[in-house]
mmCIF file of all heavy atoms in Angstrom:
data_model
loop_
_atom_site.group_PDB
_atom_site.id
_atom_site.type_symbol
_atom_site.label_atom_id
_atom_site.label_comp_id
_atom_site.label_asym_id
_atom_site.label_seq_id
_atom_site.Cartn_x
_atom_site.Cartn_y
_atom_site.Cartn_z
ATOM 1 N N PRO M 442 -97.194 -35.491 66.828
ATOM 2 C CA PRO M 442 -97.283 -35.846 68.239
ATOM 3 C C PRO M 442 -96.454 -34.882 69.071
ATOM 4 O O PRO M 442 -95.262 -34.699 68.796
ATOM 5 C CB PRO M 442 -96.691 -37.266 68.283
ATOM 6 C CG PRO M 442 -95.859 -37.377 67.051
ATOM 7 C CD PRO M 442 -96.523 -36.515 66.028
ATOM 8 N N PRO M 443 -97.064 -34.201 70.049
ATOM 9 C CA PRO M 443 -96.321 -33.206 70.807
ATOM 10 C C PRO M 443 -95.332 -33.868 71.751
ATOM 11 O O PRO M 443 -95.482 -35.030 72.116
ATOM 12 C CB PRO M 443 -97.420 -32.478 71.592
ATOM 13 C CG PRO M 443 -98.496 -33.495 71.743
ATOM 14 C CD PRO M 443 -98.454 -34.321 70.486
ATOM 15 N N PRO M 444 -94.293 -33.143 72.146
ATOM 16 C CA PRO M 444 -93.338 -33.709 73.091
ATOM 17 C C PRO M 444 -93.979 -33.896 74.447
ATOM 18 O O PRO M 444 -94.853 -33.136 74.842
ATOM 19 C CB PRO M 444 -92.231 -32.633 73.142
ATOM 20 C CG PRO M 444 -92.922 -31.362 72.761
ATOM 21 C CD PRO M 444 -93.986 -31.757 71.774
ATOM 22 N N THR M 445 -93.561 -34.931 75.158
ATOM 23 C CA THR M 445 -94.064 -35.130 76.511
ATOM 24 C C THR M 445 -93.365 -34.167 77.457
ATOM 25 O O THR M 445 -92.304 -33.631 77.169
ATOM 26 C CB THR M 445 -93.802 -36.568 76.981
ATOM 27 O OG1 THR M 445 -92.406 -36.831 76.883
ATOM 28 C CG2 THR M 445 -94.573 -37.562 76.116
ATOM 29 N N MET M 446 -94.004 -33.938 78.604
ATOM 30 C CA MET M 446 -93.410 -33.067 79.602
ATOM 31 C C MET M 446 -92.187 -33.753 80.205
ATOM 32 O O MET M 446 -92.246 -34.910 80.593
ATOM 33 C CB MET M 446 -94.421 -32.741 80.700
ATOM 34 C CG MET M 446 -95.618 -31.945 80.233
ATOM 35 S SD MET M 446 -96.646 -31.369 81.590
ATOM 36 C CE MET M 446 -97.227 -32.910 82.295
ATOM 37 N N GLU M 447 -91.098 -33.013 80.271
ATOM 38 C CA GLU M 447 -89.869 -33.521 80.867
ATOM 39 C C GLU M 447 -89.285 -32.439 81.764
ATOM 40 O O GLU M 447 -89.435 -31.249 81.484
ATOM 41 C CB GLU M 447 -88.842 -33.896 79.784
ATOM 42 C CG GLU M 447 -89.287 -35.034 78.873
ATOM 43 C CD GLU M 447 -88.260 -35.334 77.797
ATOM 44 O OE1 GLU M 447 -87.227 -34.626 77.773
ATOM 45 O OE2 GLU M 447 -88.496 -36.245 77.005
ATOM 46 N N PRO M 448 -88.612 -32.846 82.849
ATOM 47 C CA PRO M 448 -88.023 -31.841 83.739
ATOM 48 C C PRO M 448 -86.900 -31.090 83.062
ATOM 49 O O PRO M 448 -86.141 -31.659 82.270
ATOM 50 C CB PRO M 448 -87.521 -32.671 84.929
ATOM 51 C CG PRO M 448 -87.293 -34.032 84.358
ATOM 52 C CD PRO M 448 -88.361 -34.223 83.316
ATOM 53 N N ARG M 449 -86.801 -29.811 83.338
ATOM 54 C CA ARG M 449 -85.732 -28.975 82.800
ATOM 55 C C ARG M 449 -85.110 -28.182 83.944
ATOM 56 O O ARG M 449 -85.791 -27.790 84.887
ATOM 57 C CB ARG M 449 -86.277 -27.968 81.772
ATOM 58 C CG ARG M 449 -86.850 -28.576 80.503
ATOM 59 C CD ARG M 449 -85.740 -29.018 79.557
ATOM 60 N NE ARG M 449 -86.221 -29.212 78.208
ATOM 61 C CZ ARG M 449 -86.821 -30.317 77.779
ATOM 62 N NH1 ARG M 449 -87.023 -31.323 78.611
ATOM 63 N NH2 ARG M 449 -87.213 -30.434 76.538
ATOM 64 N N THR M 450 -83.816 -27.933 83.828
ATOM 65 C CA THR M 450 -83.205 -26.977 84.734
ATOM 66 C C THR M 450 -83.614 -25.571 84.297
ATOM 67 O O THR M 450 -84.143 -25.380 83.186
ATOM 68 C CB THR M 450 -81.680 -27.097 84.710
ATOM 69 O OG1 THR M 450 -81.218 -26.738 83.389
ATOM 70 C CG2 THR M 450 -81.233 -28.521 85.036
ATOM 71 N N LEU M 451 -83.356 -24.584 85.149
ATOM 72 C CA LEU M 451 -83.733 -23.218 84.805
ATOM 73 C C LEU M 451 -83.025 -22.758 83.535
ATOM 74 O O LEU M 451 -83.633 -22.139 82.656
ATOM 75 C CB LEU M 451 -83.406 -22.278 85.972
ATOM 76 C CG LEU M 451 -83.721 -20.793 85.746
ATOM 77 C CD1 LEU M 451 -85.200 -20.613 85.432
ATOM 78 C CD2 LEU M 451 -83.321 -19.983 86.968
ATOM 79 N N GLY M 452 -81.739 -23.084 83.414
ATOM 80 C CA GLY M 452 -81.007 -22.688 82.216
ATOM 81 C C GLY M 452 -81.568 -23.331 80.963
ATOM 82 O O GLY M 452 -81.711 -22.670 79.930
ATOM 83 N N GLN M 453 -81.903 -24.619 81.041
ATOM 84 C CA GLN M 453 -82.494 -25.301 79.889
ATOM 85 C C GLN M 453 -83.864 -24.709 79.556
ATOM 86 O O GLN M 453 -84.206 -24.526 78.375
ATOM 87 C CB GLN M 453 -82.636 -26.785 80.190
ATOM 88 C CG GLN M 453 -81.330 -27.551 80.250
ATOM 89 C CD GLN M 453 -81.521 -28.969 80.747
ATOM 90 O OE1 GLN M 453 -82.398 -29.247 81.563
ATOM 91 N NE2 GLN M 453 -80.706 -29.878 80.246
ATOM 92 N N LEU M 454 -84.640 -24.414 80.585
ATOM 93 C CA LEU M 454 -85.980 -23.871 80.369
ATOM 94 C C LEU M 454 -85.925 -22.540 79.643
ATOM 95 O O LEU M 454 -86.633 -22.315 78.657
ATOM 96 C CB LEU M 454 -86.698 -23.706 81.718
ATOM 97 C CG LEU M 454 -88.107 -23.115 81.667
ATOM 98 C CD1 LEU M 454 -89.063 -24.117 81.043
ATOM 99 C CD2 LEU M 454 -88.580 -22.724 83.053
ATOM 100 N N VAL M 455 -85.070 -21.648 80.119
ATOM 101 C CA VAL M 455 -84.962 -20.324 79.495
ATOM 102 C C VAL M 455 -84.455 -20.449 78.065
ATOM 103 O O VAL M 455 -85.003 -19.842 77.134
ATOM 104 C CB VAL M 455 -84.037 -19.415 80.330
ATOM 105 C CG1 VAL M 455 -83.789 -18.099 79.594
ATOM 106 C CG2 VAL M 455 -84.647 -19.148 81.700
ATOM 107 N N SER M 456 -83.417 -21.259 77.869
ATOM 108 C CA SER M 456 -82.831 -21.408 76.534
ATOM 109 C C SER M 456 -83.818 -22.054 75.557
ATOM 110 O O SER M 456 -84.028 -21.547 74.442
ATOM 111 C CB SER M 456 -81.563 -22.258 76.625
ATOM 112 O OG SER M 456 -81.022 -22.501 75.339
ATOM 113 N N ASP M 457 -84.457 -23.160 75.981
ATOM 114 C CA ASP M 457 -85.392 -23.850 75.096
ATOM 115 C C ASP M 457 -86.604 -22.983 74.781
ATOM 116 O O ASP M 457 -87.087 -22.943 73.649
ATOM 117 C CB ASP M 457 -85.857 -25.163 75.737
ATOM 118 C CG ASP M 457 -84.738 -26.195 75.832
ATOM 119 O OD1 ASP M 457 -83.672 -25.957 75.237
ATOM 120 O OD2 ASP M 457 -84.931 -27.220 76.507
ATOM 121 N N SER M 458 -87.119 -22.293 75.808
ATOM 122 C CA SER M 458 -88.292 -21.438 75.601
ATOM 123 C C SER M 458 -87.969 -20.307 74.638
ATOM 124 O O SER M 458 -88.759 -19.986 73.743
ATOM 125 C CB SER M 458 -88.778 -20.868 76.938
ATOM 126 O OG SER M 458 -89.170 -21.897 77.809
ATOM 127 N N TRP M 459 -86.810 -19.705 74.824
ATOM 128 C CA TRP M 459 -86.414 -18.597 73.942
ATOM 129 C C TRP M 459 -86.314 -19.073 72.493
ATOM 130 O O TRP M 459 -86.853 -18.440 71.588
ATOM 131 C CB TRP M 459 -85.080 -18.023 74.409
ATOM 132 C CG TRP M 459 -84.556 -16.935 73.517
ATOM 133 C CD1 TRP M 459 -83.636 -17.046 72.515
ATOM 134 C CD2 TRP M 459 -84.954 -15.558 73.533
ATOM 135 N NE1 TRP M 459 -83.418 -15.839 71.907
ATOM 136 C CE2 TRP M 459 -84.206 -14.901 72.509
ATOM 137 C CE3 TRP M 459 -85.840 -14.811 74.307
ATOM 138 C CZ2 TRP M 459 -84.344 -13.543 72.251
ATOM 139 C CZ3 TRP M 459 -85.972 -13.446 74.045
ATOM 140 C CH2 TRP M 459 -85.231 -12.841 73.032
ATOM 141 N N ASP M 460 -85.629 -20.187 72.290
ATOM 142 C CA ASP M 460 -85.465 -20.703 70.928
ATOM 143 C C ASP M 460 -86.809 -21.038 70.288
ATOM 144 O O ASP M 460 -87.056 -20.710 69.123
ATOM 145 C CB ASP M 460 -84.578 -21.953 70.947
ATOM 146 C CG ASP M 460 -83.131 -21.636 71.308
ATOM 147 O OD1 ASP M 460 -82.740 -20.456 71.208
ATOM 148 O OD2 ASP M 460 -82.405 -22.568 71.699
ATOM 149 N N LEU M 461 -87.686 -21.700 71.057
ATOM 150 C CA LEU M 461 -88.985 -22.093 70.518
ATOM 151 C C LEU M 461 -89.842 -20.888 70.176
ATOM 152 O O LEU M 461 -90.445 -20.814 69.103
ATOM 153 C CB LEU M 461 -89.719 -22.979 71.517
ATOM 154 C CG LEU M 461 -89.396 -24.471 71.488
ATOM 155 C CD1 LEU M 461 -90.112 -25.189 72.622
ATOM 156 C CD2 LEU M 461 -89.781 -25.085 70.149
ATOM 157 N N TYR M 462 -89.914 -19.934 71.095
ATOM 158 C CA TYR M 462 -90.820 -18.809 70.863
ATOM 159 C C TYR M 462 -90.292 -17.861 69.808
ATOM 160 O O TYR M 462 -91.078 -17.245 69.085
ATOM 161 C CB TYR M 462 -91.106 -18.075 72.183
ATOM 162 C CG TYR M 462 -92.210 -18.742 72.960
ATOM 163 C CD1 TYR M 462 -91.932 -19.696 73.921
ATOM 164 C CD2 TYR M 462 -93.536 -18.446 72.701
ATOM 165 C CE1 TYR M 462 -92.944 -20.329 74.613
ATOM 166 C CE2 TYR M 462 -94.559 -19.072 73.384
ATOM 167 C CZ TYR M 462 -94.253 -20.011 74.348
ATOM 168 O OH TYR M 462 -95.262 -20.641 75.026
ATOM 169 N N VAL M 463 -88.980 -17.729 69.695
ATOM 170 C CA VAL M 463 -88.437 -16.912 68.605
ATOM 171 C C VAL M 463 -88.750 -17.571 67.265
ATOM 172 O O VAL M 463 -89.178 -16.914 66.309
ATOM 173 C CB VAL M 463 -86.918 -16.720 68.785
ATOM 174 C CG1 VAL M 463 -86.294 -16.163 67.513
ATOM 175 C CG2 VAL M 463 -86.642 -15.788 69.949
ATOM 176 N N ALA M 464 -88.563 -18.893 67.196
ATOM 177 C CA ALA M 464 -88.827 -19.608 65.949
ATOM 178 C C ALA M 464 -90.304 -19.583 65.580
ATOM 179 O O ALA M 464 -90.672 -19.513 64.409
ATOM 180 C CB ALA M 464 -88.338 -21.052 66.058
ATOM 181 N N ALA M 465 -91.168 -19.663 66.606
ATOM 182 C CA ALA M 465 -92.613 -19.756 66.354
ATOM 183 C C ALA M 465 -93.326 -18.421 66.489
ATOM 184 O O ALA M 465 -94.560 -18.387 66.444
ATOM 185 C CB ALA M 465 -93.231 -20.772 67.318
ATOM 186 N N LEU M 466 -92.578 -17.326 66.655
ATOM 187 C CA LEU M 466 -93.202 -16.032 66.947
ATOM 188 C C LEU M 466 -94.268 -15.611 65.933
ATOM 189 O O LEU M 466 -95.357 -15.165 66.327
ATOM 190 C CB LEU M 466 -92.137 -14.952 67.082
ATOM 191 C CG LEU M 466 -92.641 -13.565 67.504
ATOM 192 C CD1 LEU M 466 -93.354 -13.640 68.851
ATOM 193 C CD2 LEU M 466 -91.479 -12.572 67.581
ATOM 194 N N PRO M 467 -94.023 -15.713 64.621
ATOM 195 C CA PRO M 467 -95.088 -15.298 63.682
ATOM 196 C C PRO M 467 -96.369 -16.103 63.857
ATOM 197 O O PRO M 467 -97.469 -15.540 63.846
ATOM 198 C CB PRO M 467 -94.448 -15.556 62.306
ATOM 199 C CG PRO M 467 -92.986 -15.523 62.542
ATOM 200 C CD PRO M 467 -92.788 -16.107 63.901
ATOM 201 N N GLN M 468 -96.239 -17.427 64.033
ATOM 202 C CA GLN M 468 -97.432 -18.262 64.225
ATOM 203 C C GLN M 468 -98.114 -17.956 65.554
ATOM 204 O O GLN M 468 -99.336 -17.889 65.636
ATOM 205 C CB GLN M 468 -97.068 -19.740 64.147
ATOM 206 C CG GLN M 468 -96.683 -20.227 62.768
ATOM 207 C CD GLN M 468 -95.209 -20.057 62.487
ATOM 208 O OE1 GLN M 468 -94.475 -19.469 63.265
ATOM 209 N NE2 GLN M 468 -94.772 -20.582 61.354
ATOM 210 N N VAL M 469 -97.307 -17.776 66.622
ATOM 211 C CA VAL M 469 -97.878 -17.461 67.932
ATOM 212 C C VAL M 469 -98.635 -16.143 67.879
ATOM 213 O O VAL M 469 -99.761 -16.029 68.385
ATOM 214 C CB VAL M 469 -96.773 -17.418 69.009
ATOM 215 C CG1 VAL M 469 -97.308 -16.829 70.316
ATOM 216 C CG2 VAL M 469 -96.227 -18.813 69.271
ATOM 217 N N ALA M 470 -98.027 -15.124 67.260
ATOM 218 C CA ALA M 470 -98.676 -13.815 67.175
ATOM 219 C C ALA M 470 -99.994 -13.900 66.404
ATOM 220 O O ALA M 470 -101.011 -13.312 66.807
ATOM 221 C CB ALA M 470 -97.737 -12.809 66.509
ATOM 222 N N ALA M 471 -99.996 -14.647 65.301
ATOM 223 C CA ALA M 471 -101.224 -14.778 64.509
ATOM 224 C C ALA M 471 -102.307 -15.517 65.279
ATOM 225 O O ALA M 471 -103.478 -15.107 65.284
ATOM 226 C CB ALA M 471 -100.911 -15.511 63.201
ATOM 227 N N VAL M 472 -101.927 -16.606 65.952
ATOM 228 C CA VAL M 472 -102.903 -17.397 66.701
ATOM 229 C C VAL M 472 -103.500 -16.584 67.835
ATOM 230 O O VAL M 472 -104.719 -16.592 68.059
ATOM 231 C CB VAL M 472 -102.239 -18.687 67.237
ATOM 232 C CG1 VAL M 472 -103.071 -19.314 68.328
ATOM 233 C CG2 VAL M 472 -102.047 -19.679 66.103
ATOM 234 N N VAL M 473 -102.647 -15.887 68.578
ATOM 235 C CA VAL M 473 -103.143 -15.077 69.690
ATOM 236 C C VAL M 473 -104.047 -13.953 69.182
ATOM 237 O O VAL M 473 -105.078 -13.641 69.782
ATOM 238 C CB VAL M 473 -101.967 -14.512 70.506
ATOM 239 C CG1 VAL M 473 -102.450 -13.478 71.529
ATOM 240 C CG2 VAL M 473 -101.238 -15.644 71.224
ATOM 241 N N ALA M 474 -103.673 -13.358 68.063
ATOM 242 C CA ALA M 474 -104.478 -12.260 67.517
ATOM 243 C C ALA M 474 -105.883 -12.709 67.157
ATOM 244 O O ALA M 474 -106.854 -11.956 67.350
ATOM 245 C CB ALA M 474 -103.785 -11.671 66.285
ATOM 246 N N TRP M 475 -106.035 -13.950 66.650
ATOM 247 C CA TRP M 475 -107.364 -14.445 66.280
ATOM 248 C C TRP M 475 -108.310 -14.490 67.472
ATOM 249 O O TRP M 475 -109.523 -14.415 67.313
ATOM 250 C CB TRP M 475 -107.254 -15.826 65.649
ATOM 251 C CG TRP M 475 -106.952 -15.790 64.187
ATOM 252 C CD1 TRP M 475 -105.744 -15.980 63.590
ATOM 253 C CD2 TRP M 475 -107.871 -15.532 63.120
ATOM 254 N NE1 TRP M 475 -105.851 -15.865 62.223
ATOM 255 C CE2 TRP M 475 -107.155 -15.586 61.907
ATOM 256 C CE3 TRP M 475 -109.236 -15.252 63.090
ATOM 257 C CZ2 TRP M 475 -107.756 -15.363 60.676
ATOM 258 C CZ3 TRP M 475 -109.833 -15.045 61.845
ATOM 259 C CH2 TRP M 475 -109.094 -15.107 60.664
ATOM 260 N N GLY M 476 -107.774 -14.632 68.672
ATOM 261 C CA GLY M 476 -108.630 -14.613 69.858
ATOM 262 C C GLY M 476 -108.621 -13.282 70.568
ATOM 263 O O GLY M 476 -109.655 -12.798 71.040
ATOM 264 N N ALA M 477 -107.431 -12.662 70.666
ATOM 265 C CA ALA M 477 -107.294 -11.445 71.457
ATOM 266 C C ALA M 477 -107.953 -10.235 70.798
ATOM 267 O O ALA M 477 -108.544 -9.390 71.489
ATOM 268 C CB ALA M 477 -105.812 -11.157 71.704
ATOM 269 N N VAL M 478 -107.862 -10.134 69.468
ATOM 270 C CA VAL M 478 -108.456 -8.974 68.793
ATOM 271 C C VAL M 478 -109.982 -8.967 68.932
ATOM 272 O O VAL M 478 -110.567 -7.952 69.337
ATOM 273 C CB VAL M 478 -108.019 -8.922 67.314
ATOM 274 C CG1 VAL M 478 -108.812 -7.850 66.557
ATOM 275 C CG2 VAL M 478 -106.524 -8.633 67.223
ATOM 276 N N PRO M 479 -110.692 -10.075 68.630
ATOM 277 C CA PRO M 479 -112.137 -10.071 68.879
ATOM 278 C C PRO M 479 -112.488 -9.834 70.355
ATOM 279 O O PRO M 479 -113.480 -9.160 70.653
ATOM 280 C CB PRO M 479 -112.583 -11.476 68.441
ATOM 281 C CG PRO M 479 -111.542 -11.912 67.480
ATOM 282 C CD PRO M 479 -110.263 -11.324 67.977
ATOM 283 N N ALA M 480 -111.655 -10.361 71.263
ATOM 284 C CA ALA M 480 -111.913 -10.132 72.687
ATOM 285 C C ALA M 480 -111.824 -8.648 73.017
ATOM 286 O O ALA M 480 -112.657 -8.112 73.764
ATOM 287 C CB ALA M 480 -110.919 -10.923 73.531
ATOM 288 N N GLY M 481 -110.815 -7.977 72.451
ATOM 289 C CA GLY M 481 -110.689 -6.540 72.683
ATOM 290 C C GLY M 481 -111.837 -5.747 72.092
ATOM 291 O O GLY M 481 -112.337 -4.793 72.706
ATOM 292 N N VAL M 482 -112.281 -6.142 70.897
ATOM 293 C CA VAL M 482 -113.412 -5.461 70.262
ATOM 294 C C VAL M 482 -114.679 -5.637 71.092
ATOM 295 O O VAL M 482 -115.448 -4.684 71.318
ATOM 296 C CB VAL M 482 -113.625 -5.998 68.831
ATOM 297 C CG1 VAL M 482 -114.924 -5.461 68.238
ATOM 298 C CG2 VAL M 482 -112.439 -5.618 67.947
ATOM 299 N N ILE M 483 -114.916 -6.849 71.581
ATOM 300 C CA ILE M 483 -116.105 -7.115 72.384
ATOM 301 C C ILE M 483 -116.052 -6.333 73.695
ATOM 302 O O ILE M 483 -117.066 -5.787 74.157
ATOM 303 C CB ILE M 483 -116.237 -8.626 72.653
ATOM 304 C CG1 ILE M 483 -116.592 -9.349 71.357
ATOM 305 C CG2 ILE M 483 -117.299 -8.911 73.720
ATOM 306 C CD1 ILE M 483 -116.565 -10.853 71.472
ATOM 307 N N THR M 484 -114.870 -6.265 74.305
ATOM 308 C CA THR M 484 -114.728 -5.500 75.550
ATOM 309 C C THR M 484 -115.025 -4.024 75.319
ATOM 310 O O THR M 484 -115.747 -3.386 76.103
ATOM 311 C CB THR M 484 -113.308 -5.667 76.106
ATOM 312 O OG1 THR M 484 -113.073 -7.052 76.385
ATOM 313 C CG2 THR M 484 -113.128 -4.865 77.385
ATOM 314 N N ALA M 485 -114.482 -3.466 74.231
ATOM 315 C CA ALA M 485 -114.735 -2.056 73.916
ATOM 316 C C ALA M 485 -116.214 -1.820 73.617
ATOM 317 O O ALA M 485 -116.798 -0.811 74.044
ATOM 318 C CB ALA M 485 -113.875 -1.624 72.730
#
């Protein structure tokens, strides 16, 4: 179950986002590549 949206201060937002994306970077990169690479090939 994903977390619900909650208000964050700017400092919390930057810190939480950095921690999450650094931790999830390999998965994020792989997921984005599955869509972005075919999109680039089709555009070319």
